[in-house]
């Protein structure tokens, strides 16, 4: 179940309810107890051994019972490593332990509810995880009192992980682009955007970065900014499509870029996403609960916007809007997933159930058009009727999402 | 027609012109509704004037005089319904064509605004002829119909901005510069610009539509309709004795609009003075902006967010710093260390204090053009403002660049026209442009 060239392949099975997620994350050397009152379910349970190497992530058992679960992660590789316990969507980070030096062993302790999880390591603490494997927790549900700080820390950890995956993918994309391998660059273009699209509302908090990374030409022009980033490269990579589009008739940006210009543009995008990674990794970086829940809503709003994915305006030359669409939905789902227990604790089970159901239907519908692994169909082949169905499902998801902040924050 | 120094009497804008930009951008920002709320999407209400026997809708017997120093439909108490139309001249149209069109329109406008049928009415002398008047407003009477005519810049300088197709270039006022391109415009060429505009306002939509339909028919062979817009629900009020109307976001707009009674302010901010050629003195400039509202997204935003965006309470329309609707916002007030009225709240950015005292007279209407292919409402605000100098609008619009409201709107249409002074008896519209 390792991922090859994708940021994280999306599974499209119907989703069981995600398990409760409060985690005791062991971050660095200091174990921070972030959960509230937790019954000490299995105080003497043995730690589950995990062996991390530069290429694998081997776990002693693929199943355990609910309650306090401890992983003892030994780094047998040559790179600094980190270990993740992921939710069943393979994106939500239930717990993580990072900065495991070669030869060292560190523990991760979580309060795990019954459900399906995944384990994964990240040698070098950058890029995709390796050795991702299914992990099952059986038994009875545990009672926990979720705490805001733990939830926020969990989400910040997720944002961090997404940027860590983003940087090497963008580098790979830029390598192909700068070397003139247009076919490979075109293949990588939508994949290199996925991690970014999952966390965009957070990226937008750094006001100067989003315009450099993800603005489209009209936005850059109107704001008087140099036109750079993903969409500048898109315009060059799909040059014929851009040139055929009368909107930019006579525009100097329509001249195909020279290898030198490509290298410069590519270097800048890599530098910009690296800066983003560094900024979210700053210990000072944090979010509020409302940032998370409003971000979940904002991601859906961006899909439906007049210049968003639903109208096919986001990637107007590449027509890869379905990748962005899916990534926005996934990012929204993770944010929702992260605050789930807070909503449940506030007696908002009905809302949680409805969101689960609508996310499931949305992702199932998107899966009819492809996947990151197999590729999504070109959005210009999606008929108006089909787009309308996507719009209707997006609306059905967005409506309950508008109640999430109140369900979580006012509790 | 005072000749004081209007803060808005600048030398125009940077001349970039309206540049339709079909494609949008990812960032959710876009230029704002110039003036909703604070500075007031105000404008003009009809209630006060309608009181005596005018009633609303069909059957209204009240008419608004067509002749006068200023064109009607500017400070006239805003009627409830709008049909706004933009025309372009046919290829090869001559100066004589333009003059004859303006003459014919003047005659028809005078008839229409009286509630009289156009030409020989619905019954031609020869029944084998089509009727002069299309007839659908028969029996509806005047309904406070006003027709306000504007001239596009291309009449003076041609499509290329350099020629003189009708021999009037020398009479173009210096202030008549094209609107610049604003940040985040998402303009559709098919809903922007035009050589001539007609704003038809009435109590009844059938009356306004009838007027535009007949004027378009009269124009045939000289000019043709290029785009038009129906509006309902005035978004401006003219007097504090009447309720301030609401826009489609459900917020009160126009609390601080220039009111018809404010003679001095009108002279300062709305009516063109001696800085312009004679034909334009007593006239004004009309800016129209079609502003799409992302209704669905707005409706899913929390009350807190909605009120933060506007800087006013939704129910009362009061500034978030307290008081009633007409209380002055306290922009210095702080709540827990942050401004009570957000630094990017619409009420703050549109306020005259943020615009060097500039005020513009707003006369917008709500619109709903059905829905799009994705089932999203095609709804928004057809913003119309009148100002002594287009630069005043530019100033306000530019200061709205960081407006929180921009996340929920897109400007999709735009136009600027010079509105000549009022027509005196025996004259035709803009006659002064063509004299010796």
């Amino acid at each position: 179940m390792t991922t090859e060239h994708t940021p994280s392949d999306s599974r499209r099975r119907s989703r069981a309810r995600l398990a409760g997620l409060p985690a005791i994350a062991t971050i660095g050397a200091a174990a921070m107890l972030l959960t509230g009152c937790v019954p000490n379910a299995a105080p003497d349970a043995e730690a589950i051994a995990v062996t991390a190497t530069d290429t694998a992530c081997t776990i002693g058992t693929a199943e355990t019972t609910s309650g306090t679960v401890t992983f003892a992660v030994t780094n047998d590789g040559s790179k600094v490593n980190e270990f993740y316990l992921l939710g069943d969507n393979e994106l939500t980070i239930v717990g993580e332990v990072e900065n495991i030096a070669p030869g060292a062993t560190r523990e991760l302790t979580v309060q795990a509810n019954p459900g399906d999880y995944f384990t994964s390591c990240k040698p070098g603490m950058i890029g995709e995880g390796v050795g991702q494997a299914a992990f099952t927790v059986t038994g009875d549900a545990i009672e926990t009192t979720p705490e805001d700080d733990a939830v926020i820390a969990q989400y910040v950890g997720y944002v961090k992980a997404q940027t860590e995956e983003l940087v090497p993918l963008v580098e790979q994309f830029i390598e192909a682009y700068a070397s003139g391998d247009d076919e490979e660059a075109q293949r990588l273009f939508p994949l290199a955007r996925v991690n970014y699209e999952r966390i965009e509302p957070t990226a937008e908090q750094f006001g100067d970065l989003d315009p450099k990374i993800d603005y489209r030409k009209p936005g850059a022009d109107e704001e008087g900014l140099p036109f750079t980033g993903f969409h500048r490269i898109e315009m060059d990579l799909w040059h014929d499509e851009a040139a055929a589009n009368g909107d930019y008739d006579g525009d100097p940006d329509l001249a195909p870029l020279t290898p030198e210009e490509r290298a410069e543009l590519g270097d800048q995008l890599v530098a910009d996403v690296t800066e983003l990674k560094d900024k979210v990794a700053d210990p000072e970086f944090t979010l509020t609960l409302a940032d998370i829940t409003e971000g979940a809503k904002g991601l859906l709003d961006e899909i439906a916007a007049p210049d968003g994915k639903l109208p096919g305006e986001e990637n107007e030359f590449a027509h890869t809007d379905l990748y962005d669409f899916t990534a926005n939905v996934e990012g929204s789902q993770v944010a929702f997933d992260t605050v789930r227990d807070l909503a449940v604790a506030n007696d908002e089970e009905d809302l949680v159930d409805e969101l689960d159901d609508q996310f499931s239907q949305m992702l199932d519908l998107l899966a009819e058009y492809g996947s990151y692994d197999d590729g999504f169909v070109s959005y210009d082949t999606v008929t108006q009727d089909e787009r309308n169905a996507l719009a209707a499902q997006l609306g059905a998801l967005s409506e309950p999402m508008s109640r999430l902040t109140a369900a979580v924050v006012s509790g | 027609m005072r000749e004081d120094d209007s803060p808005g009497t600048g030398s125009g804008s940077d001349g970039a012109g309206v540049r339709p930009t079909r494609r949008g951008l990812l960032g959710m920002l876009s230029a704002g509704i110039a003036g909703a709320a604070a500075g007031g999407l105000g404008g003009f209400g009809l209630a006060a004037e309608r009181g005596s026997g005018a009633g609303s809708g069909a059957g209204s017997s009240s008419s608004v005089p067509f002749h006068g120093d200023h064109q009607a439909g500017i400070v006239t108490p805003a009627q409830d319904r709008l049909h706004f139309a933009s025309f372009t001249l046919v290829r090869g149209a001559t100066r004589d064509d333009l003059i004859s069109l303006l003459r014919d329109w003047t005659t028809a406008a005078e008839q229409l605004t009286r509630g009289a049928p156009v030409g020989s009415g619905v019954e031609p002398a020869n029944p084998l002829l089509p009727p002069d008047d299309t007839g659908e407003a028969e029996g509806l009477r005047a309904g406070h119909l006003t027709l306000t005519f504007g001239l596009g810049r291309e009449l003076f300088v041609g499509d290329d901005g350099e020629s003189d197709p009708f021999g009037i270039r020398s009479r173009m006022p210096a202030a008549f510069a094209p609107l610049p391109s604003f940040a985040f415009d998402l303009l559709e060429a098919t809903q922007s610009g035009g050589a001539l505009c007609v704003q038809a306002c009435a109590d009844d939509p059938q009356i306004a539509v009838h007027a535009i339909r007949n004027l378009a028919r009269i124009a045939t062979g000289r000019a043709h309709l290029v785009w038009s817009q129906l509006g309902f629900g005035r978004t401006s009020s003219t007097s504090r004795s009447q309720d301030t109307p609401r826009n489609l976001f459900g917020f009160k707009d126009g609390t601080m609009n220039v009111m018809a009674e404010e003679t001095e302010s009108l002279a300062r901010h709305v009516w063109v003075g001696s800085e312009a050629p004679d034909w334009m003195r007593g006239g004004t400039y009309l800016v129209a902006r079609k502003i799409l509202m992302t209704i669905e997204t707005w409706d899913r935003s929390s009350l807190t967010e909605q009120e933060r965006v506007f800087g006013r309470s939704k129910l009362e329309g009061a500034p978030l710093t307290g008081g009633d609707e007409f209380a002055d916002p306290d922009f210095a007030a702080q709540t827990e260390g942050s401004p009570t009225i957000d630094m990017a709240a619409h009420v703050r950015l549109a306020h005259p204090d943020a615009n060097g005292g500039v005020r513009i007279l707003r006369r917008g209407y709500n619109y709903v053009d059905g829905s799009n292919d994705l089932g999203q409402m095609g709804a928004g605000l057809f913003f119309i403002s009148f100002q002594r100098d287009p630069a005043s609008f530019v100033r306000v619009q530019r200061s709205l660049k960081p407006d929180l409201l921009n996340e929920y709107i897109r400007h999709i249409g735009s136009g600027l026209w010079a509105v000549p002074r009022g027509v005196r008896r025996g004259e035709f519209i803009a006659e002064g442009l063509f004299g010796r």
Side-chain angles (χ1 to χ4, degrees):
Chain A
M1 272 218 161
T2 55
T3 53
E4 287 300 322
H5 292 292
T6 63
S8 165
D9 46 355
S10 67
R11 310 300 194 266
R12 295 290 167 247
R13 59 201 149 66
S14 69
R15 280 152 205 279
R17 285 275 308 277
L18 293 171
L21 301 167
I24 299 171
T26 309
I27 298 172
M32 298 193 295
L33 283 170
L34 297 173
T35 52
C37 38
V38 174
N40 205 359
D44 301 322
E46 261 188 36
I48 296 168
V50 178
T51 305
T53 68
D54 293 352
T55 55
C57 191
T58 313
I59 187 160
T61 175
E63 187 173 322
T64 191
T65 50
S66 56
T68 302
V69 176
T70 302
F71 299 90
V73 187
T74 303
N75 184 357
D76 279 356
S78 63
K79 300 175 180 171
V80 177
N81 215 318
E82 55 191 351
F83 171 76
Y84 291 98
L85 181 66
L86 305 171
D88 86 334
N89 61 3
E90 300 169 60
L91 289 173
T92 306
I93 296 173
V94 178
E96 63 168 320
V97 53
E98 55 184 7
N99 287 318
I100 311 169
T105 297
R106 287 195 193 283
E107 289 192 346
L108 168 67
T109 302
V110 299
Q111 298 299 323
N113 261 311
D116 294 328
Y117 298 83
F118 289 86
T119 56
S120 175
C121 297
K122 192 182 281 187
M125 296 178 42
I126 190 118
E128 311 156 31
V130 303
Q132 185 162 315
F135 184 79
T136 307
V137 176
T138 59
D140 299 327
I142 55 172
E143 283 182 23
T144 60
T145 306
E147 290 195 346
D148 294 358
D149 287 350
V151 166
I152 291 167
Q154 188 183 337
Y155 188 76
V156 169
Y158 158 78
V159 171
K160 209 153 59 66
Q162 290 299 309
T163 59
E164 287 166 0
E165 289 186 23
L166 172 69
V167 170
L169 276 164
V170 170
E171 285 171 342
Q172 194 186 346
F173 163 57
I174 292 305
E175 196 181 319
Y177 172 64
S179 71
D181 186 350
D182 284 13
E183 197 179 330
E184 178 68 356
Q186 287 181 344
R187 187 183 74 79
L188 290 171
F189 170 77
L191 299 172
R193 295 174 48 74
V194 167
N195 300 97
Y196 190 79
E197 290 291 322
R198 282 182 183 146
I199 58 164
E200 193 164 359
T202 302
E204 285 173 358
Q205 296 201 343
F206 306 110
D208 55 330
L209 278 177
D210 186 55
K212 289 198 252 182
I213 295 171
D214 203 33
Y215 258 28
R216 294 176 49 242
K217 180 170 168 58
D221 284 356
E222 300 295 353
E223 282 203 74
L225 299 169
F227 179 35
T228 62
F230 280 117
H231 295 298
R232 177 68 188 91
I233 296 173
E234 179 198 1
M235 196 180 215
D236 193 44
L237 270 177
W238 279 270
H239 177 265
D240 291 348
E241 188 91 7
N245 187 324
D247 292 344
Y248 303 129
D249 194 27
D251 194 296
D253 283 347
L254 271 180
L257 298 185
T258 64
E260 294 73 29
E261 288 168 329
R262 282 189 169 204
E264 189 183 345
L265 195 58
D267 286 348
Q268 190 187 335
L269 181 58
V270 170
D272 290 336
V273 297
T274 303
E275 186 182 342
L276 176 67
K277 175 181 79 73
D278 294 342
K279 280 186 165 169
V280 302
D282 187 319
E284 296 290 305
F285 173 70
T286 189
L287 295 164
T288 65
L289 277 181
D291 287 337
I292 298 171
T293 53
E294 289 295 301
K297 181 169 132 357
L299 279 164
L300 301 182
D301 288 346
E302 287 201 3
I303 302 171
D307 31 28
K309 289 86 185 174
L310 206 46
E313 294 288 308
E314 173 77 31
N315 302 295
E316 58 181 319
F317 311 124
H319 304 302
T320 53
D321 303 85
L322 283 165
Y323 292 79
D324 295 42
F325 191 141
T326 303
N328 284 161
V329 172
E330 288 174 342
S332 179
Q333 190 194 32
V334 169
F336 156 62
D337 204 16
T338 308
V339 302
R340 158 192 308 274
D341 279 7
L342 293 172
V344 170
N346 290 334
D347 294 327
E348 296 280 359
E349 288 95 340
D350 288 351
L351 176 62
V352 169
D353 287 347
E354 185 179 357
L355 281 168
D356 275 332
D357 181 43
Q358 297 297 350
F359 269 118
S360 168
Q361 292 192 41
M362 183 80 255
L363 288 165
D364 285 351
L365 182 57
L366 284 166
E368 292 178 14
Y369 297 92
S371 66
Y372 298 138
D373 281 345
D374 302 333
F376 283 97
V377 303
S378 182
Y379 199 60
D380 58 353
T381 68
V382 178
T383 67
Q384 195 58 55
D385 277 355
E386 291 170 329
R387 291 182 186 200
N388 204 328
L390 287 164
Q393 178 52 43
L394 183 68
L397 170 60
S398 298
E399 195 60 35
M401 184 57 86
S402 70
R403 306 201 297 271
L404 185 63
T405 300
V408 169
V409 175
S410 69
Chain B
M1 239 175 286
R2 290 158 51 102
E3 299 177 12
D4 55 9
D5 275 342
S6 160
T9 311
S11 57
S13 49
D14 59 18
V18 173
R19 187 161 62 82
T21 310
R22 192 176 75 79
R23 302 289 182 177
L25 69 158
L26 179 83
M28 297 295 289
L29 303 166
S30 76
I33 294 178
L41 215 267
F44 275 44
L46 65 159
E49 183 133 318
R50 273 219 317 231
S52 57
S56 62
S60 165
S61 62
S62 290
S63 61
V64 180
F66 175 71
H67 296 104
D69 289 343
H70 311 294
Q71 289 200 50
I74 301 167
V75 299
T76 306
Q79 306 88 328
D80 250 356
R81 306 292 180 154
L82 168 78
H83 192 186
F84 188 93
S86 171
F87 294 83
T88 190
L89 295 193
V90 300
R91 189 192 304 267
T94 64
R95 178 183 170 100
D96 286 346
D97 290 332
L98 177 59
I99 291 171
S100 73
L101 172 62
L102 292 171
R103 273 189 202 283
D104 292 351
W105 270 4
T106 304
T107 304
E110 191 274 328
Q111 293 170 324
L112 286 162
T113 53
R114 263 195 291 122
V118 169
S120 61
V122 298
E123 293 187 325
N126 181 345
L128 296 178
L129 287 171
D132 271 2
D133 188 288
T134 54
E136 76 274 22
E138 191 66 18
L140 295 182
R141 314 186 73 170
H144 284 104
L145 174 70
T146 54
L147 293 166
T148 313
F149 297 85
L151 310 174
R153 200 166 178 275
E154 67 199 69
L155 287 180
F156 297 88
V157 296
D159 292 333
D160 56 4
E162 297 176 354
S163 52
D164 188 7
F166 304 104
I168 54 177
R169 184 175 179 184
S170 63
R171 307 206 175 182
M172 185 172 80
F176 197 6
L179 294 179
S181 184
F182 295 106
F184 315 130
D185 275 0
L186 195 68
L187 302 182
E188 298 274 355
T190 53
Q191 300 179 97
S192 296
L196 293 161
C197 78
V198 185
Q199 172 197 272
C201 299
D203 299 341
D204 183 316
Q206 184 105 337
I207 294 171
V209 168
H210 170 260
I212 294 298
R213 176 178 171 187
N214 282 275
L215 292 176
R217 189 176 178 209
I218 288 166
T220 306
R222 295 169 289 191
H224 61 273
L225 188 67
V226 282
W227 60 271
S228 78
Q229 181 65 50
L230 288 176
F232 64 91
R234 63 185 172 89
T235 60
S236 30
S237 62
T238 185
S239 157
R240 291 190 175 190
S241 67
Q242 62 184 152
D243 282 347
T244 308
R246 292 176 186 271
N247 58 29
L248 290 181
F249 284 151
F251 274 75
K252 288 193 171 188
D253 275 343
T255 297
M256 295 188 59
N257 199 28
V258 185
M259 301 289 175
E261 300 85 351
E262 296 180 74
T263 315
E264 234 178 271
S265 284
L266 290 173
R268 177 183 292 271
H269 298 295
V270 178
W271 303 128
V272 171
S274 62
E275 72 274 16
D278 177 73
W279 66 272
M280 192 61 194
R281 290 177 202 167
T284 183
Y285 292 92
L286 186 160
V287 169
R289 305 282 289 181
K290 185 169 182 178
I291 303 171
L292 173 75
M293 296 173 163
T294 56
I295 294 283
E296 293 81 6
T297 307
W298 176 263
D299 289 347
R300 288 193 279 265
S301 63
S302 68
L303 178 64
T304 302
E305 162 80 352
Q306 293 184 7
E307 293 187 337
R308 185 175 72 98
V309 166
F310 275 97
R312 288 184 179 275
S313 67
K314 188 160 194 175
L315 198 57
E316 300 291 333
L320 293 182
T321 45
D324 64 7
E325 181 194 338
F326 297 103
D328 282 331
D330 178 359
F331 295 122
Q334 301 263 320
T335 304
E336 292 172 10
S338 301
T340 309
I341 293 175
D342 197 285
M343 293 308 289
H346 187 72
V347 70
R348 183 189 292 271
L349 299 174
H351 197 275
D353 288 358
N355 294 283
V358 160
R359 297 175 75 190
I360 55 186
L361 189 158
R362 295 167 185 80
R363 209 177 202 280
Y365 287 83
N366 297 322
Y367 76 84
V368 176
D369 291 349
S371 52
N372 70 12
D373 292 339
L374 297 169
Q376 299 162 326
M377 291 259 255
L381 172 69
F382 193 74
F383 170 95
I384 297 172
S385 70
F386 294 93
Q387 47 276 307
R388 181 173 173 168
D389 188 325
S392 298
F393 170 80
V394 172
R395 163 135 200 181
V396 175
Q397 188 62 33
R398 286 210 165 122
S399 67
L400 295 178
K401 186 175 171 187
D403 195 339
L404 293 169
L405 196 52
N406 293 336
E407 185 169 336
Y408 300 98
I409 61 176
R410 301 286 188 286
H411 286 229
I412 58 175
S414 180
L416 169 68
W417 293 269
V419 176
R421 65 166 167 78
V423 180
R424 291 158 193 159
R425 287 190 188 280
E427 280 185 350
F428 63 90
I429 299 156
E431 183 168 341
L433 256 181
F434 304 97
R436 290 141 305 275

